[in-house]
Amino acid sequence: MKFLALSVLLFASLHGRAEETKSLAEKQKAYPALVASIETKRLKFSERWNTASADQQAALLIEARIFLEKTITEDLFPCWMGTTWDFNGVSQKPGEGAIACGYFVSTILRDAGYKVERAKLGQQASQIIIKTMTTDDQIKITSNSSMENMVQVFKNRGDGVYIVGLDSHTGFVTVKGDTMTFVHSNYYTPPRAVCAEPLQGRNPFADSKYRVIGKLAGDESIKRWITGAKIELRK
């Protein structure tokens, strides 16, 4: 419980949202309604997209990106804090059962409104998850790169939500100015559970030699989210 409280407080501090410390149980109980509300919002974006001019569609991409990134970081992530990690975990409900790192990533993506096959995507190597969800121009691969260099890579690519693939792990990194947060189903140190922690520290991201990062909300990714296009694996 101490770990869970610290993780929730850290997430709130990193994202400037004191309300994140409200009852986690209440948030988790309301999770299905949250997911439904996200889909309702996505459908409204889709309706507007279908009748929009080219200029209006360009503006919609920006609006939808802001909504999607805020929803993932401020609504979906907090619900999963403290959910137990297990290598074979496949939970679809935060706070219940256990969830593996790949399934955590694919479940967040599905619940955010992307039309992915959750189980199939969650079973893939992290680099395939990233290739499937992003375009090549949004992907950066590094090997034996220092953390100082990785921080600069994120700064150069800007604020947003990134899917990251590591030596034997996957998760998300959120970037907001100089604040970079690693959100993942943590197998590394006990108690093993979904957590949010500073990017720089003792964690799988910092300790990995091979790192792949993919910025989630590029224009093509946002367009697929708006239109509800089925997302096929890209190997």
Side-chain angles (χ1 to χ4, degrees):
M1 290 302 294
K2 183 179 180 181
F3 172 82
L4 173 55
L6 288 173
S7 189
V8 173
L9 285 168
L10 174 60
F11 194 93
S13 174
L14 291 171
H15 292 273
R17 285 172 55 88
E19 61 266 36
E20 296 298 345
T21 60
K22 291 180 180 178
S23 171
L24 180 58
E26 290 179 4
K27 291 179 180 293
Q28 292 172 338
K29 184 177 180 180
Y31 191 77
L34 169 63
V35 173
S37 71
I38 295 169
E39 178 62 11
T40 297
K41 184 72 172 181
R42 188 199 65 76
L43 289 171
K44 290 180 179 178
F45 271 110
S46 183
E47 291 173 3
R48 293 166 62 193
W49 179 270
N50 290 335
T51 58
S53 66
D55 288 344
Q56 290 171 332
Q57 287 183 344
L60 274 174
L61 288 174
I62 296 172
E63 183 182 345
R65 179 179 296 108
I66 293 170
F67 168 79
L68 184 60
E69 291 180 345
K70 184 174 185 292
T71 293
I72 290 173
T73 59
E74 298 184 4
D75 297 320
L76 294 176
F77 283 166
C79 290
W80 284 92
M81 292 297 114
T83 302
T84 302
W85 168 88
D86 185 86
F87 182 79
N88 297 306
V90 296
S91 176
Q92 300 193 56
K93 296 181 180 180
E96 296 184 12
I99 192 162
C101 61
Y103 272 91
F104 172 63
V105 170
S106 66
T107 302
I108 289 290
L109 294 171
R110 182 201 64 184
D111 292 349
Y114 283 102
K115 303 309 174 188
V116 298
E117 293 185 47
R118 168 188 175 266
K120 190 173 183 179
L121 185 65
Q123 294 167 3
Q124 303 303 310
S126 57
Q127 188 162 340
I128 293 176
I129 295 175
I130 292 168
K131 288 183 66 176
T132 297
M133 296 306 304
T134 64
T135 51
D136 290 343
D137 62 305
Q138 299 293 332
I139 298 173
K140 174 73 173 179
I141 300 174
T142 68
S143 181
N144 295 310
S145 186
S146 70
M147 281 301 295
E148 289 77 11
N149 181 65
M150 293 309 304
V151 166
Q152 193 58 51
V153 167
F154 283 118
K155 284 185 176 181
N156 291 343
R157 289 174 176 257
D159 290 359
V161 177
Y162 296 78
I163 307 172
V164 297
L166 309 171
D167 291 343
S168 57
H169 194 48
T170 187
F172 296 94
V173 169
T174 66
V175 177
K176 188 174 183 179
D178 290 333
T179 302
M180 301 179 188
T181 310
F182 184 33
V183 184
H184 61 123
S185 188
N186 177 31
Y187 72 95
Y188 217 51
T189 54
R192 295 173 173 85
V194 175
C195 70
E197 57 187 324
L199 184 64
Q200 298 194 72
R202 185 172 181 268
N203 61 53
F205 189 94
D207 289 350
S208 285
K209 301 299 182 185
Y210 185 75
R211 304 182 185 100
V212 184
I213 69 170
K215 196 169 187 179
L216 180 60
D219 284 353
E220 183 59 32
S221 173
I222 293 296
K223 181 179 178 181
R224 291 193 291 178
W225 180 82
I226 291 174
T227 61
K230 184 179 180 181
I231 299 177
E232 304 287 352
L233 288 181
R234 189 165 74 97
K235 298 185 177 181

